Amino acid sequence: MAKSTSKPDTLGIAELAANLAEAQDLSKARAKSILDGVRDHIVETLLSGNRVNLFGLGTFEVRATKEKMGRNPKTGESIKIPAGRKVVFKTAKGLKDQM
């Protein structure tokens, strides 16, 4: 199977809410409210230093990054990139196997 070079369609919160509303017999506003609540709770959990595991989908967690040297692509000048934190997502085995 050949890989496509074009970007796939993106499904945003509004489209997810519409699909959820139809599948679960909810109003679109209620479905959007639920999705917004889930998103907000995931962010709060990550900010408190905990991981979020969505069974069958994957795990979100915050990881520390080390300070490192980088380059400004325009000027070639070396710059110091400070240590920080980033959110990473590890795909669940079941989802990987389906890909």
Side-chain angles (χ1 to χ4, degrees), residues 38-82:
V38 169
R39 181 204 54 221
D40 293 346
H41 193 68
I42 289 172
V43 170
E44 289 172 16
T45 302
L46 292 171
L47 290 174
S48 70
N50 295 313
R51 296 184 328 166
V52 176
N53 182 16
L54 301 175
F55 183 76
L57 189 61
T59 303
F60 291 96
E61 68 180 301
V62 176
R63 291 190 188 156
T65 61
K66 295 179 183 177
E67 184 178 274
K68 61 184 176 181
M69 293 302 291
R71 285 203 185 275
N72 179 328
K74 285 187 177 180
T75 65
E77 175 187 3
S78 290
I79 55 173
K80 188 181 288 187
I81 301 170

Side-chain angles (χ1 to χ4, degrees), residues 19-31:
N19 291 346
L20 180 63
E22 187 176 320
Q24 299 298 319
D25 195 27
L26 300 167
S27 70
K28 287 182 183 178
R30 179 71 180 134

